[in-house]
Amino acid sequence: MTQYIYCMTNNKPKIWLPKIDKTKRGVYHAIVDAMRHDIEAGVLKAGDQLPPQRELAWQLQVNLTTISRAYREAMRQHLIGGEVGRGTYILANSAEASLFELRDKGLAKGRTQTDFIDLSTNIPARNASDNRFNQTLRTITAANLTTLYEEYHAPMLLDQLKIAATKWLNWRKMPSKPENIVLAGGAQTALQAILIALCNAGDSILVEQYTFPGMKDFARQFGLKLIPINMDKQGILPNELTKIAKKNNAKYIILVPNHQNPTGAVMSAERQQQVAKTIVAQNLTLIEDDVYGGLSNMPPLSALLPDQAIYLTSLSKTVSFGLRVGFIHTKTEHLAALTHATNLTQWSLSPIMMQMAIDWIEDGTAFDKAAWQLSEISERRKIADNILPKNNISTRDKNSPHLWLNIPQSIDIQSECEKIGLNIAPVSIFLPQQRQKHQNHIRISLVAPATRQNLAIGLKRLAEILA
């Protein structure tokens, strides 16, 4: 049966006609499958606006929960993105969607979770013997503080989390005070709030030569122009920053100085000093994403720029992926704009996750888990160094959870990996500009496979392609 879904293109109604088979996989899966199909076919294009969830539920005569599940799954696969106050938009005609599709394709071809190996997803390694997440959840729920966890955030909980955030930032050698902290439901939510609060459509944003896919998604949603700055194995080059900043009327630069995503680059103390001086000289404001900072021996770059930096971090890359709690630290000038964006920041926080973050930072669990991550990454890097050809590994720092690999131009690496059941992140999804010149690279995650054994299997398959 053909169902009608209405979307908006250039502010004009457009009827989308997916065929939804309600007998297979469930309606929400069918909606996502139809969405992906029509994106690939060019029926839906980047920027097309989908209808509100309630309207779509009414049009399809299905439960609102079904539509919500479909939208959440489509967001997970980077098919769509949401912006508060403006709606939900198609994103997935871009290359970033390929990062989330290979697993489904492989399993659909008959591969099992055992022989399909994901080397693309940047999530913390899982410690099978660590049950503290479940234990803490039981402790929190056993307290039976329903007024604290089933209503809007209590001021006491918000204040406690800001104090805990200050402790985490100070551990990172980022001087902070609770009154300069803005809370958010993770680093991506924090960055989204910052961009909405401070930027306008058409603004130029300086970024690294290769940038993380979420930044590209936000640029499309908000109409921002990303300007790449050339890098070496320590991150951006100061002289390149000077040259690019003088040519563009940019106010903000977004950097990941510690375990840069995707290259794994870490700025040395000398490079940090050089970049900080250049940012001051060019009158830029740094927006620093330090989500991997807990795995680095280097302090944040923002510590050198107390008057020209907005710092954001979270616990999801270093402590626990499910702990979606993010922190923004900034000077008073930007606090008002960010605090007013509560729909994007603190309202998206789960009170139970807030309490878990408070407990873990206060009792030391968060720091212990970060230390375990470092130890596990070190062991997995040894495996990679023993299996992969040395000249293919570009990432120097041994604490990086991901590696940037040089790939011969003659190899269609994504196609070859798909054939043997490997999911990797190709260079195309990290290019800030569509026609940007680049070498052949891939990013692989050392911590994506559940075990070291699975990692070794995946790396051996990859090494055979590179041989």
Side-chain angles (χ1 to χ4, degrees), residues 238 408 441:
H441 297 282

Side-chain angles (χ1 to χ4, degrees), residues 152-153 158 183-185 341-351:
Y152 286 118
H153 311 107
L158 294 169
L183 304 174
T342 51
N343 282 334
L344 287 170
T345 53
Q346 67 186 40
W347 280 8
S348 61
L349 281 162
S350 159

Side-chain angles (χ1 to χ4, degrees), residues 156-307:
M156 177 184 69
L157 197 62
L158 294 169
D159 290 342
Q160 288 177 344
L161 184 54
K162 288 183 179 181
I163 292 170
T166 300
K167 187 173 182 178
W168 180 261
L169 268 61
N170 287 333
W171 172 71
R172 279 289 298 125
K173 298 181 177 62
M174 177 66 195
S176 59
K177 298 178 180 179
E179 55 266 32
N180 291 102
I181 298 288
V182 178
L183 304 174
Q188 289 283 78
T189 303
L191 179 57
Q192 184 182 32
I194 291 167
L195 294 174
I196 288 177
L198 303 180
C199 299
N200 298 307
D203 283 355
S204 293
I205 305 291
L206 306 185
V207 296
E208 289 134 332
Q209 181 179 0
Y210 304 104
T211 193
F212 53 98
M215 185 64 243
K216 296 173 64 178
D217 288 342
F218 289 145
R220 278 192 297 272
Q221 290 179 60
F222 307 146
L224 305 174
K225 183 181 179 182
L226 300 183
I227 310 295
I229 303 164
N230 288 337
M231 303 170 61
D232 63 9
K233 293 183 179 181
Q234 289 191 55
I236 64 165
L237 297 163
N239 60 332
E240 288 292 315
L241 173 56
T242 299
K243 183 170 63 177
I244 296 297
K246 286 181 177 179
K247 289 182 180 179
N248 296 274
N249 187 28
K251 297 178 181 178
Y252 301 102
I253 178 170
I254 298 177
L255 298 177
V256 185
N258 284 294
H259 301 308
Q260 197 268 344
N261 186 9
T263 67
V266 176
M267 286 190 187
S268 65
E270 182 182 3
R271 178 63 59 85
Q272 283 197 0
Q273 290 284 349
Q274 293 169 344
V275 171
K277 288 180 181 178
T278 306
I279 287 173
V280 172
Q282 300 302 321
N283 197 28
L284 296 167
T285 294
L286 168 67
I287 300 173
E288 178 175 4
D289 184 342
D290 194 44
V291 292
Y292 301 105
L295 305 174
S296 174
N297 295 321
M298 292 301 300
L301 177 59
S302 296
L304 299 176
L305 295 160
D307 297 321

